[in-house]
Amino acid sequence: MAAVIVSRRALLKGAAASLALSALPARAQQADPFTPFRYRAPDEALADLKRRLGAVRWPEAATEPGFAQGPSLKELQDFIRHWRDRYDWRKTESRLNAWPQFKTEIDGLGIHFMHVRSPHENALPIILTHGWPSTILLFQKVIEPLTNPTAHGGTAAEAFHVVVTSLPGFGFSDKPTEPGWNAERTARAWAELMRRLGYERYVAQGGDWGAFVTTALAQQKPRGLEAIHLNFAQTIPDKIPEKLEPDQKKAVEAYTKFQESGFAYGMLQATKPQLAGYLLADSPVAQAAWLYDIFDGGTGTTGRPENLIPIDDMLDEITLYWLTNSSASSARFYREQAAILKGRNNPGVVDLPVGVSVFPHDLPPARSWAPLVYPNLFYWNEVDRGGHFAQLEVPDLFVAELRNCFSKVR
């Protein structure tokens, strides 16, 4: 989960490749090469994972209850037991490979993305960007309702052509071998991707680091980008006044508390991402504990986040991090952004139209400050359920928010 510091190859072949490429607009097929992509984890990798999960050296229990010191021993042991004995990655893999996936090189880096075209001709193209500790699987429950709304309680007028990207160093995108892949550089790559896909008009959405990438994209104003939607809006000004309105006080206090008691992972990843890699790359239990703790904080629970996000949905994300060995490369995004933000409380003014959805168990933005950073704010809604991972926790509400927000710019 990203935070702003308040004070401070497997390829598709033959006919399958032709079918996947047919999902791309004709202009895109002719203009730039896209390599069809599928993933199948080696059998030996899954066997090794199960072996490691069965040979754990556990520490003693914490001296405080709940998640105050990190996941409780009993709850994490239950979580790991489910991963080892009941979770089936092959089901997730099959579901993932049912969507058209591709890789393309942009700015010297292989970028992985899903491109799911709507059956409705006048659908609005949208590019969705995840954050940390998420992957493209964050959006797995919302792709179908967005692309085929008539089968999911909506109308054809609410349809989207969906592009879901893997951030550099995350999942199936390549791992950068040089510094500089921050939100701004990633946003430029996203603009180029949408150009290659042939979209002359589109919108963008993001939460967590995806909100920073989407914000940067809007600040760069690439041709065709009409508006953005954020579910992790940043409205706190760099200079915080002494007298605060109630919503401002709530936002500042929430961020301050988060940094004092919940941002240890972020401080490590922003300063020593390679160390995070060493800590996590050799132990799936460490990887699981690291992310399970964030799922707990992002749902507002004090234990058992699986009561709000299905356990297999969390394990989908964790397993993809493990199989792609992405702990260090994903952590580096924190260091890259820390160098850009340098203690700023928001990523700067966005002149393009901006829509915002606020989920109650996420870090709250202040509506009264919003015009300072979003002068063209055209949509703001505070819903009654969900948190930082709303796409998995309350996918129905997340889809409704995108439909309602972008109905104003269609």
Side-chain angles (χ1 to χ4, degrees):
M1 186 163 63
V4 175
I5 300 175
V6 171
S7 61
R8 331 187 221 268
R9 212 164 237 158
L11 303 181
L12 281 168
K13 295 186 178 180
S18 298
L19 287 171
L21 284 170
S22 68
L24 297 170
R27 176 180 168 186
Q29 293 180 46
Q30 295 168 3
D32 297 283
F34 295 98
T35 303
F37 180 90
R38 282 176 67 91
Y39 177 76
R40 179 175 172 81
D43 291 337
E44 54 268 29
L46 297 179
D48 176 68
L49 171 59
K50 180 164 287 195
R51 178 188 63 78
R52 290 170 184 260
L53 293 174
V56 184
R57 186 175 72 165
W58 295 100
E60 71 282 2
T63 55
E64 297 176 76
F67 276 50
Q69 298 179 5
S72 78
L73 181 60
K74 181 183 184 306
E75 287 169 347
L76 187 61
Q77 287 176 330
D78 289 346
F79 190 77
I80 296 302
R81 190 175 301 112
H82 181 93
W83 194 10
R84 184 192 67 203
D85 297 338
R86 292 185 288 278
Y87 174 76
D88 185 356
W89 166 257
R90 292 298 186 205
K91 288 184 179 179
T92 300
E93 192 176 73
S94 176
R95 190 164 61 250
L96 177 64
N97 286 330
W99 287 306
Q101 299 174 76
F102 306 89
K103 290 193 76 170
T104 188
E105 184 175 312
I106 304 176
D107 194 8
L109 197 73
I111 298 297
H112 167 264
F113 66 99
M114 293 192 296
H115 184 212
V116 187
R117 298 270 296 175
S118 172
H120 301 290
E121 182 180 355
N122 294 321
L124 178 65
I126 186 170
I127 182 167
L128 306 174
T129 309
H130 65 85
W132 185 95
S134 301
T135 69
I136 56 169
L137 291 171
L138 175 70
F139 299 105
Q140 61 177 306
K141 293 184 174 182
V142 305
I143 293 173
E144 292 298 324
L146 291 174
T147 56
N148 193 12
T150 55
H152 297 273
T155 67
E158 296 171 319
F160 294 88
H161 297 309
V162 173
V163 177
V164 186
T165 45
S166 294
L167 286 170
F170 289 69
F172 304 124
S173 281
D174 289 357
K175 298 176 173 66
T177 58
E178 61 180 12
W181 275 97
N182 51 39
E184 287 79 2
R185 186 172 179 179
T186 303
R188 289 193 294 271
W190 280 195
E192 172 61 15
L193 174 61
M194 295 303 277
R195 185 198 69 79
R196 292 185 187 183
L197 288 172
Y199 288 129
E200 298 179 351
R201 183 176 184 269
Y202 63 95
V203 295
Q205 196 284 328
D208 196 78
W209 286 131
F212 285 76
V213 172
T214 303
T215 294
L217 184 65
Q219 290 168 332
Q220 293 165 11
K221 300 179 182 178
R223 183 176 180 179
L225 180 63
E226 295 283 333
I228 67 170
H229 174 274
L230 307 172
N231 63 301
F232 192 62
Q234 307 298 315
T235 65
I236 298 175
D238 292 338
K239 186 175 182 180
I240 302 173
E242 291 185 8
K243 186 176 181 179
L244 300 175
E245 298 295 327
D247 66 333
Q248 298 169 358
K249 187 173 185 290
K250 178 181 178 181
V252 171
E253 288 180 347
Y255 272 88
T256 301
K257 179 181 179 181
F258 175 65
Q259 289 172 359
E260 290 176 347
S261 61
F263 196 54
Y265 70 91
M267 293 297 293
L268 176 62
Q269 295 185 165
T271 55
K272 300 287 185 180
Q274 192 68 18
L275 180 58
Y278 294 140
L279 293 172
L280 306 179
D282 195 50
S283 170
V285 173
Q287 180 76 79
W290 200 250
L291 274 60
Y292 185 55
D293 184 65
I294 310 305
F295 282 118
D296 181 73
T299 53
T301 64
T302 56
R304 299 258 176 212
E306 55 266 42
N307 290 338
L308 293 171
I309 300 177
I311 189 170
D312 282 1
D313 291 351
M314 289 186 284
L315 285 170
D316 286 345
E317 303 274 37
I318 292 168
T319 306
L320 186 51
Y321 272 82
W322 174 258
L323 291 171
T324 57
N325 195 11
S326 297
S327 54
S329 56
S330 62
R332 288 193 192 102
F333 206 92
Y334 279 77
R335 184 171 176 85
E336 297 290 354
Q337 277 306 103
I340 294 295
L341 293 170
K342 296 180 180 176
R344 290 166 51 193
N345 292 330
N346 67 74
V349 174
V350 179
D351 291 329
L352 283 182
V354 176
V356 172
S357 297
V358 181
F359 293 88
H361 296 133
D362 207 352
L363 291 174
R367 174 66 177 87
S368 60
W369 273 330
L372 299 177
V373 287
Y374 310 130
N376 282 324
L377 183 72
F378 71 96
Y379 181 86
W380 180 285
N381 190 36
E382 301 181 17
V383 299
D384 60 358
R385 293 182 291 132
H388 195 71
F389 306 99
Q391 299 92 329
L392 291 175
E393 185 182 349
V394 286
D396 56 336
L397 279 182
F398 182 81
V399 168
E401 284 301 291
L402 264 60
R403 289 176 180 173
N404 293 336
C405 173
F406 290 122
S407 68
K408 304 179 185 306
V409 299
R410 286 182 182 269

